[in-house]
């Protein structure tokens, strides 16, 4: 831990202006330094590619940082390693006990990384490459701070001109020499990330660092931000047991905003930065903020997280401050977390391919074997907006047995080809049910989900036996159907993309997620002939089979 354990009740408490992070102002521990544990990356030097001069293994890496701080002056994250002459100058007891050996001066991390740089260079084909970070504890590493959009490029040559490289991220490394210099002096007092419960001083939240993929689209927000964050959380539950807690105080979020103009991101179309803050066109940023504000409750977060451009600490309660702390506030440089995790490059629902726009997107499966995790992800978000009750301990996850519920989600997409009203489908279905005397067994409801708040959307889907929608970002609500329910997704098989009017292949958007989510049954139907008599007959027969299955339960 960063500091000696004690209650937060008598310490000055601060919170971020944006987001829900809370910090206490404390004296740092006598012996302060960081540790790193990374996982997932392959050895780039063993790649079968001819040109491996550019190490891309960082896109697979996820890391746990022990004792990481945000530098309030430089607006960047920092980890600390001990250097030459590092001693525990603050340890008042080291001379009071002759049997207590003082090991606080011991430092091996820095030497290990220096040896790694010196000894771990190998030759491969015509290149000499650094075989870095096969040691999971090395400070000489990097990771992808967010999901990677395949529409970005790698570029060519050794200059790394492609914009995907903007996602390569690592915390700054600061060496502490223990000589009373500026770096050591800056750590005498710190802001420490604490839980929302002032009486809990034993378990502080894990800070999750990430870059937003493209929250301008709700599908990207849920499947390319929320899903990777949940996967990252699950990945480190073994080494960070507090992440298994049944409440959301066990993690906090920090969004790392980049200066690069990456297509479709929140930062796209900006003209520059002044005093560390973005200026120019903020159209994407405003759309991002609106979507995040509406949908972040799914993650158990009431406010969008702070970023490196708006991070500011304010007193949470004036009664918690005192005259002694007031003089320290302006001099405190670091806001620190006991633990932080990051690295989401390959944790989205599509990995390094698109969501289904290209025929190449169907050559591989990204979510194979991920069914249990996808179901747990669904349950996690559902419980955040529909808390369990005594009658439904796990929330409304079971299909109703009294009457079968069929839900039509209309106009779920802004794309003209996928902006569906399902008028004929609803009419034909009602006729089919009447002809088979099933009107007392089946209920039909029609909703435009964009007009509903998040809680209502989730509740509607969680009570559906069959959910019918067009595919795309607006189909995210379908993921909340109860286990065993069916989802019918209409896809654009002959249309044009919503970008430049270019002809596209049949686009079963997000097929990888729905076909891998084993708790639901996904059926795909073409849009181009959806109103033909034959296709309408097929649709009613599919529903009929679902009714038969419902009646047999």
């Amino acid at each position: 831990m960063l500091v000696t354990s004690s209650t937060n009740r008598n310490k000055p408490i601060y919170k971020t202006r944006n987001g829900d992070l809370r910090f206490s102002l404390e004296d740092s521990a006598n012996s302060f330094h960081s540790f790193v544990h990374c996982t997932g990356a392959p050895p780039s030097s063993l790649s079968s590619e001819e040109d491996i001069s550019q190490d891309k293994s960082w896109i697979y890496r996820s890391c746990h940082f022990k004792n990481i701080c945000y530098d309030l002056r430089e607006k960047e994250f920092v980890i600390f390693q001990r250097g030459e002459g590092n001693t525990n100058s603050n340890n008042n007891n080291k001379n009071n006990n002759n049997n207590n050996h003082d090991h606080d001066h011991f430092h091996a991390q820095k030497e290990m990384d220096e040896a790694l740089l010196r000894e771990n260079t190998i030759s491969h084909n015509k290149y000499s490459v650094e075989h870095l970070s096969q040691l999971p504890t090395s400070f000489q590493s990097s990771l992808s701070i967010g999901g990677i959009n395949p529409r970005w490029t790698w570029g060519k040559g050794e200059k790394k001109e492609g914009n995907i490289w903007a996602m390569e991220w690592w915390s700054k490394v600061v060496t502490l020499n223990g000589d009373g210099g500026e770096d050591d002096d800056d750590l005498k007092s710190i802001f420490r990330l604490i839980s929302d419960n002032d009486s809990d001083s034993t378990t502080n939240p894990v800070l999750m660092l990430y870059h937003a993929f493209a929250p301008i689209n709700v599908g990207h927000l849920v499947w390319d931000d929320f899903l990777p964050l949940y996967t990252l959380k699950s990945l480190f539950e073994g080494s960070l047991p507090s992440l298994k807690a049944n409440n959301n105080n066990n993690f906090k979020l920090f969004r790392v905003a980049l200066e690069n103009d990456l297509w479709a991101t929140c930062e796209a179309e900006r003209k520059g930065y002044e005093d560390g803050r973005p200026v120019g066109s903020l159209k994407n940023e405003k759309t991002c903020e609106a979507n995040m504000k509406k949908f972040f409750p799914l993650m158990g977060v009431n406010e969008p997280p702070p970023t490196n451009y708006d991070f500011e600490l304010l007193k949470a309660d004036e009664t918690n401050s005192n005259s002694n702390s007031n003089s320290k506030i302006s001099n405190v440089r670091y806001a620190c977390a006991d633990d932080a995790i990051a690295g989401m490059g390959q944790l989205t629902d599509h990995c390094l391919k698109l969501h289904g726009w290209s025929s190449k997107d169907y050559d591989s499966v990204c979510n194979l074997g991920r069914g249990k995790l996808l179901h747990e992800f669904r349950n996690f978000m559902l419980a955040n907006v529909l808390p369990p009750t005594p009658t439904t301990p796990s929330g409304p996850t079971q299909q109703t047995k009294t009457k079968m519920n069929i839900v039509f989600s209309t106009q779920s997409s802004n794309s003209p080809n996928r902006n569906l009203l399902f008028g004929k489908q609803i009419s034909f279905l009602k006729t089919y049910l009447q002809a088979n005397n099933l009107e007392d067994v089946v209920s039909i409801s029609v909703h435009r989900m964009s007009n509903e708040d998040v809680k209502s959307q989730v509740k509607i889907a969680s009570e559906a036996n069959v959910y019918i929608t067009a595919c795309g970002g607006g189909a995210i609500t379908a993921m909340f159907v109860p286990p065993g329910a069916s989802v019918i997704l209409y896809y654009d098989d002959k249309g044009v993309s919503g970008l430049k009017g270019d002809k596209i292949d049949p686009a079963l958007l997000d097929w990888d997620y729905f076909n891998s989510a084993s708790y639901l049954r996904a059926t795909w139907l073409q849009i181009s002939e959806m109103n033909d008599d034959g296709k309408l007959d097929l649709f009613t027969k599919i529903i009929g089979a679902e009714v038969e299955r419902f009646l047999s339960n």
Side-chain angles (χ1 to χ4, degrees):
M1 298 177 67
L2 289 172
V3 297
T4 56
S5 297
S6 62
T7 180
N8 298 319
R9 189 169 296 163
N10 297 321
K11 296 177 180 178
I13 305 299
Y14 297 81
K15 70 178 296 294
T16 50
R17 179 182 293 276
N18 298 314
D20 62 350
L21 276 62
R22 297 175 76 247
F23 294 82
S24 62
L25 180 58
E26 305 181 357
D27 294 333
S28 67
N30 290 331
S31 179
F32 187 97
H33 57 291
S34 308
F35 297 98
V36 173
H37 168 217
C38 295
T39 184
S44 60
S45 58
L46 301 182
S47 171
S48 62
E49 295 184 13
E50 288 295 321
D51 182 357
I52 61 167
S53 61
Q54 298 180 1
D55 177 11
K56 300 177 182 178
S57 63
W58 54 272
I59 66 174
Y60 302 98
R61 187 174 291 117
S62 299
C63 299
H64 165 213
F65 299 87
K66 185 69 177 177
N67 296 351
I68 187 171
C69 298
Y70 183 69
D71 188 332
L72 298 170
R73 299 177 192 171
E74 301 298 328
K75 300 184 183 300
E76 61 184 352
F77 280 93
V78 176
I79 52 177
F80 301 91
Q81 64 182 2
R82 291 170 171 175
E84 298 292 339
N86 190 286
T87 60
N88 186 7
S89 58
N90 294 327
N91 190 346
N92 296 323
N93 297 319
K94 67 179 182 178
N95 295 322
N96 296 336
N97 187 345
N98 293 330
N99 296 321
N100 183 24
H101 296 286
D102 174 22
H103 299 299
D104 290 330
H105 66 283
F106 183 73
H107 54 281
Q109 179 76 46
K110 184 173 182 291
E111 284 81 354
M112 183 197 76
D113 284 325
E114 290 173 348
L116 180 65
L117 287 170
R118 182 183 68 246
E119 301 294 338
N120 217 18
T121 299
I122 63 175
S123 296
H124 179 83
N125 295 338
K126 60 181 179 180
Y127 297 104
S128 178
V129 298
E130 293 178 343
H131 193 59
L132 289 178
S133 295
Q134 292 312 299
L135 278 70
T137 57
S138 173
F139 279 24
Q140 303 295 326
S141 192
S142 63
L143 52 82
S144 180
I145 193 61
I148 294 175
N149 192 329
R151 294 188 185 276
W152 305 334
T153 63
W154 285 105
K156 297 180 180 180
E158 298 181 0
K159 295 183 179 180
K160 300 182 179 180
E161 295 174 345
N163 47 22
I164 288 180
W165 293 99
M167 301 304 298
E168 186 176 16
W169 180 91
W170 193 248
S171 177
K172 178 181 178 181
V173 179
V174 171
T175 301
L176 300 173
N177 290 317
D179 55 4
E182 179 181 357
D183 292 328
D184 299 278
D185 191 58
D186 285 335
L187 286 169
K188 287 183 178 179
S189 294
I190 59 171
F191 292 112
R192 180 194 186 195
L193 183 65
I194 58 174
S195 69
D196 294 336
N197 184 356
D198 287 347
S199 63
D200 183 4
S201 61
T202 59
T203 305
N204 287 320
V206 176
L207 188 62
M208 301 180 71
L209 312 177
Y210 81 105
H211 173 268
F213 185 93
I216 56 173
N217 178 287
V218 176
H220 288 312
L221 176 62
V222 174
W223 288 320
D224 297 320
D225 286 345
F226 292 177
L227 175 59
L229 285 167
Y230 182 82
T231 305
L232 184 66
K233 173 180 176 293
S234 301
L235 177 64
F236 285 103
E237 282 182 352
S239 56
L240 292 169
S242 63
L243 287 174
K244 293 183 178 180
N246 294 323
N247 61 75
N248 293 320
N249 288 332
N250 56 6
F251 72 88
K252 297 293 181 181
L253 301 177
F254 188 110
R255 181 164 70 91
V256 178
L258 303 176
E259 294 189 11
N260 301 73
D261 187 10
L262 294 172
W263 177 81
T265 64
C266 297
E267 299 88 5
E269 302 180 13
R270 288 178 173 171
K271 296 180 179 179
Y273 295 81
E274 292 180 0
D275 298 326
R277 295 185 180 275
V279 295
S281 175
L282 299 182
K283 179 181 178 181
N284 279 17
E285 185 72 40
K286 292 178 180 178
T287 305
C288 285
E289 289 177 357
N291 284 340
M292 289 190 291
K293 185 175 181 179
K294 182 175 182 177
F295 288 95
F296 251 108
L298 290 171
M299 290 294 288
V301 178
N302 293 324
E303 303 176 55
T307 75
N308 40 309
Y309 294 118
D310 60 24
F311 188 91
E312 182 180 0
L313 291 178
L314 306 174
K315 291 181 182 178
D317 185 351
E318 291 292 337
T319 60
N320 281 339
S321 63
N322 54 62
S323 58
N324 291 329
S325 67
N326 290 339
S327 61
K328 295 181 180 181
I329 296 172
S330 61
N331 296 323
V332 177
R333 181 170 183 174
Y334 296 114
C336 304
D338 289 1
D339 300 281
I341 52 179
M344 311 196 318
Q346 291 296 281
L347 302 185
T348 65
D349 73 314
H350 58 83
C351 298
L352 279 181
K353 59 182 183 177
L354 295 171
H355 289 268
W357 292 107
S358 167
S359 59
K360 295 181 179 179
D361 299 338
Y362 305 94
D363 290 342
S364 61
V365 181
C366 176
N367 296 293
L368 187 65
R370 211 177 180 182
K372 182 174 184 291
L373 183 139
L374 298 181
H375 184 217
E376 292 171 345
F377 173 54
R378 174 260 186 196
N379 291 344
F380 168 77
M381 292 195 296
L382 184 144
N384 285 328
V385 294
L386 293 177
T389 66
T391 56
T392 57
S394 299
T397 60
Q398 297 300 319
Q399 299 181 54
T400 175
K401 297 297 182 181
T402 58
K403 202 169 186 179
M404 182 176 178
N405 185 18
I406 298 177
V407 173
F408 284 87
S409 172
T410 63
Q411 296 181 284
S412 62
S413 173
N414 290 327
S415 172
N417 291 348
R418 289 183 280 120
N419 193 312
L420 307 179
L421 292 172
F422 295 113
K424 285 194 173 182
Q425 286 68 31
I426 295 171
S427 178
F428 268 67
L429 179 57
K430 288 181 177 179
T431 301
Y432 174 84
L433 296 174
Q434 184 179 18
N436 289 277
N437 297 316
L438 295 172
E439 293 174 292
D440 61 333
V441 177
V442 178
S443 66
I444 298 174
S445 61
V446 182
H447 304 271
R448 185 173 182 177
M449 291 301 177
S450 59
N451 293 336
E452 305 284 348
D453 61 27
V454 173
K455 183 176 181 179
S456 297
Q457 290 187 40
V458 173
K459 188 175 189 301
I460 291 168
S462 69
E463 296 174 348
N465 298 92
V466 179
Y467 189 98
I468 302 156
T469 183
C471 66
I476 61 160
T477 312
M479 65 184 291
F480 294 103
V481 298
S486 291
V487 176
I488 298 177
L489 300 117
Y490 280 86
Y491 68 94
D492 190 352
D493 53 315
K494 293 183 178 180
V496 295
S497 73
L499 300 176
K500 298 180 180 179
D502 300 327
K503 292 293 182 181
I504 60 171
D505 297 318
L508 286 74
L509 300 179
D510 308 302
W511 71 272
D512 201 321
Y513 180 93
F514 283 106
N515 285 11
S516 299
S518 52
Y519 65 91
L520 58 81
R521 298 149 58 93
T523 298
W524 298 84
L525 296 176
Q526 305 100 316
I527 289 177
S528 65
E529 301 176 351
M530 64 182 292
N531 292 328
D532 293 354
D533 288 346
K535 292 299 189 291
L536 289 168
D537 181 66
L538 172 62
F539 172 75
T540 56
K541 295 298 192 299
I542 292 172
I543 298 297
E546 292 298 326
V547 176
E548 180 182 5
R549 186 167 67 93
F550 173 82
L551 293 174
S552 66
N553 289 334

